[in-house]
PDB file of all heavy atoms in Angstrom:
ATOM      1  N   PHE A  92     -13.622  -4.304   4.940  1.00  0.00           N
ATOM      2  CA  PHE A  92     -13.319  -3.624   6.188  1.00  0.00           C
ATOM      3  C   PHE A  92     -14.134  -2.341   6.311  1.00  0.00           C
ATOM      4  O   PHE A  92     -14.469  -1.705   5.301  1.00  0.00           O
ATOM      5  CB  PHE A  92     -11.822  -3.301   6.250  1.00  0.00           C
ATOM      6  CG  PHE A  92     -10.978  -4.520   6.059  1.00  0.00           C
ATOM      7  CD1 PHE A  92     -10.529  -4.870   4.802  1.00  0.00           C
ATOM      8  CD2 PHE A  92     -10.666  -5.348   7.130  1.00  0.00           C
ATOM      9  CE1 PHE A  92      -9.776  -6.022   4.602  1.00  0.00           C
ATOM     10  CE2 PHE A  92      -9.918  -6.492   6.955  1.00  0.00           C
ATOM     11  CZ  PHE A  92      -9.472  -6.840   5.684  1.00  0.00           C
ATOM     12  N   THR A  93     -14.433  -1.979   7.563  1.00  0.00           N
ATOM     13  CA  THR A  93     -15.254  -0.796   7.817  1.00  0.00           C
ATOM     14  C   THR A  93     -14.697  -0.012   8.986  1.00  0.00           C
ATOM     15  O   THR A  93     -14.310  -0.588  10.004  1.00  0.00           O
ATOM     16  CB  THR A  93     -16.709  -1.208   8.142  1.00  0.00           C
ATOM     17  OG1 THR A  93     -17.256  -1.935   7.038  1.00  0.00           O
ATOM     18  CG2 THR A  93     -17.571   0.020   8.399  1.00  0.00           C
ATOM     19  N   LEU A  94     -14.673   1.307   8.814  1.00  0.00           N
ATOM     20  CA  LEU A  94     -14.363   2.224   9.903  1.00  0.00           C
ATOM     21  C   LEU A  94     -15.673   2.892  10.300  1.00  0.00           C
ATOM     22  O   LEU A  94     -16.384   3.415   9.449  1.00  0.00           O
ATOM     23  CB  LEU A  94     -13.352   3.281   9.459  1.00  0.00           C
ATOM     24  CG  LEU A  94     -13.076   4.400  10.468  1.00  0.00           C
ATOM     25  CD1 LEU A  94     -12.267   3.860  11.644  1.00  0.00           C
ATOM     26  CD2 LEU A  94     -12.331   5.565   9.811  1.00  0.00           C
ATOM     27  N   LYS A  95     -15.969   2.877  11.585  1.00  0.00           N
ATOM     28  CA  LYS A  95     -17.174   3.546  12.069  1.00  0.00           C
ATOM     29  C   LYS A  95     -16.783   4.659  13.032  1.00  0.00           C
ATOM     30  O   LYS A  95     -15.910   4.475  13.895  1.00  0.00           O
ATOM     31  CB  LYS A  95     -18.114   2.562  12.770  1.00  0.00           C
ATOM     32  CG  LYS A  95     -19.399   3.228  13.256  1.00  0.00           C
ATOM     33  CD  LYS A  95     -20.376   2.239  13.855  1.00  0.00           C
ATOM     34  CE  LYS A  95     -21.641   2.950  14.313  1.00  0.00           C
ATOM     35  NZ  LYS A  95     -22.635   2.037  14.914  1.00  0.00           N
ATOM     36  N   ILE A  96     -17.420   5.799  12.847  1.00  0.00           N
ATOM     37  CA  ILE A  96     -17.243   6.914  13.769  1.00  0.00           C
ATOM     38  C   ILE A  96     -18.591   7.160  14.430  1.00  0.00           C
ATOM     39  O   ILE A  96     -19.572   7.496  13.745  1.00  0.00           O
ATOM     40  CB  ILE A  96     -16.787   8.199  13.063  1.00  0.00           C
ATOM     41  CG1 ILE A  96     -15.633   7.916  12.090  1.00  0.00           C
ATOM     42  CG2 ILE A  96     -16.366   9.244  14.101  1.00  0.00           C
ATOM     43  CD1 ILE A  96     -15.314   9.091  11.177  1.00  0.00           C
ATOM     44  N   SER A  97     -18.629   6.950  15.712  1.00  0.00           N
ATOM     45  CA  SER A  97     -19.852   7.214  16.463  1.00  0.00           C
ATOM     46  C   SER A  97     -19.784   8.633  17.023  1.00  0.00           C
ATOM     47  O   SER A  97     -18.724   9.063  17.468  1.00  0.00           O
ATOM     48  CB  SER A  97     -19.983   6.225  17.623  1.00  0.00           C
ATOM     49  OG  SER A  97     -19.941   4.894  17.141  1.00  0.00           O
ATOM     50  N   ARG A  98     -20.911   9.343  16.984  1.00  0.00           N
ATOM     51  CA  ARG A  98     -20.968  10.692  17.582  1.00  0.00           C
ATOM     52  C   ARG A  98     -19.855  11.574  17.027  1.00  0.00           C
ATOM     53  O   ARG A  98     -18.933  11.993  17.740  1.00  0.00           O
ATOM     54  CB  ARG A  98     -20.891  10.610  19.097  1.00  0.00           C
ATOM     55  CG  ARG A  98     -21.907   9.673  19.725  1.00  0.00           C
ATOM     56  CD  ARG A  98     -21.751   9.603  21.247  1.00  0.00           C
ATOM     57  NE  ARG A  98     -20.384   9.288  21.663  1.00  0.00           N
ATOM     58  CZ  ARG A  98     -19.876   8.079  21.698  1.00  0.00           C
ATOM     59  NH1 ARG A  98     -20.610   7.040  21.300  1.00  0.00           N
ATOM     60  NH2 ARG A  98     -18.630   7.867  22.098  1.00  0.00           N
ATOM     61  N   VAL A  99     -19.959  11.872  15.738  1.00  0.00           N
ATOM     62  CA  VAL A  99     -18.955  12.693  15.057  1.00  0.00           C
ATOM     63  C   VAL A  99     -18.770  14.027  15.773  1.00  0.00           C
ATOM     64  O   VAL A  99     -19.755  14.674  16.200  1.00  0.00           O
ATOM     65  CB  VAL A  99     -19.364  12.920  13.584  1.00  0.00           C
ATOM     66  CG1 VAL A  99     -18.544  14.026  12.944  1.00  0.00           C
ATOM     67  CG2 VAL A  99     -19.217  11.623  12.794  1.00  0.00           C
ATOM     68  N   GLU A 100     -17.513  14.434  15.892  1.00  0.00           N
ATOM     69  CA  GLU A 100     -17.182  15.739  16.468  1.00  0.00           C
ATOM     70  C   GLU A 100     -16.503  16.607  15.399  1.00  0.00           C
ATOM     71  O   GLU A 100     -16.023  16.103  14.380  1.00  0.00           O
ATOM     72  CB  GLU A 100     -16.267  15.567  17.672  1.00  0.00           C
ATOM     73  CG  GLU A 100     -16.910  14.788  18.811  1.00  0.00           C
ATOM     74  CD  GLU A 100     -16.055  14.759  20.071  1.00  0.00           C
ATOM     75  OE1 GLU A 100     -14.982  15.401  20.077  1.00  0.00           O
ATOM     76  OE2 GLU A 100     -16.475  14.110  21.054  1.00  0.00           O
ATOM     77  N   ALA A 101     -16.437  17.899  15.661  1.00  0.00           N
ATOM     78  CA  ALA A 101     -15.887  18.836  14.682  1.00  0.00           C
ATOM     79  C   ALA A 101     -14.447  18.484  14.296  1.00  0.00           C
ATOM     80  O   ALA A 101     -14.039  18.637  13.147  1.00  0.00           O
ATOM     81  CB  ALA A 101     -15.954  20.256  15.225  1.00  0.00           C
ATOM     82  N   GLU A 102     -13.682  17.973  15.249  1.00  0.00           N
ATOM     83  CA  GLU A 102     -12.269  17.650  15.007  1.00  0.00           C
ATOM     84  C   GLU A 102     -12.087  16.437  14.101  1.00  0.00           C
ATOM     85  O   GLU A 102     -10.970  16.115  13.710  1.00  0.00           O
ATOM     86  CB  GLU A 102     -11.567  17.384  16.333  1.00  0.00           C
ATOM     87  CG  GLU A 102     -12.088  16.160  17.058  1.00  0.00           C
ATOM     88  CD  GLU A 102     -11.519  16.027  18.466  1.00  0.00           C
ATOM     89  OE1 GLU A 102     -11.209  17.063  19.073  1.00  0.00           O
ATOM     90  OE2 GLU A 102     -11.390  14.878  18.937  1.00  0.00           O
ATOM     91  N   ASP A 103     -13.195  15.764  13.772  1.00  0.00           N
ATOM     92  CA  ASP A 103     -13.094  14.568  12.929  1.00  0.00           C
ATOM     93  C   ASP A 103     -13.070  14.906  11.437  1.00  0.00           C
ATOM     94  O   ASP A 103     -12.933  14.003  10.603  1.00  0.00           O
ATOM     95  CB  ASP A 103     -14.275  13.626  13.198  1.00  0.00           C
ATOM     96  CG  ASP A 103     -14.314  13.140  14.635  1.00  0.00           C
ATOM     97  OD1 ASP A 103     -13.254  13.183  15.301  1.00  0.00           O
ATOM     98  OD2 ASP A 103     -15.400  12.742  15.094  1.00  0.00           O
TER      99      ASP A 103
END
Side-chain angles (χ1 to χ4, degrees):
Chain A
F92 305 93
T93 300
L94 173 72
K95 181 176 180 180
I96 313 169
S97 304
R98 307 178 307 278
V99 166
E100 297 187 3
E102 65 188 30
D103 299 339

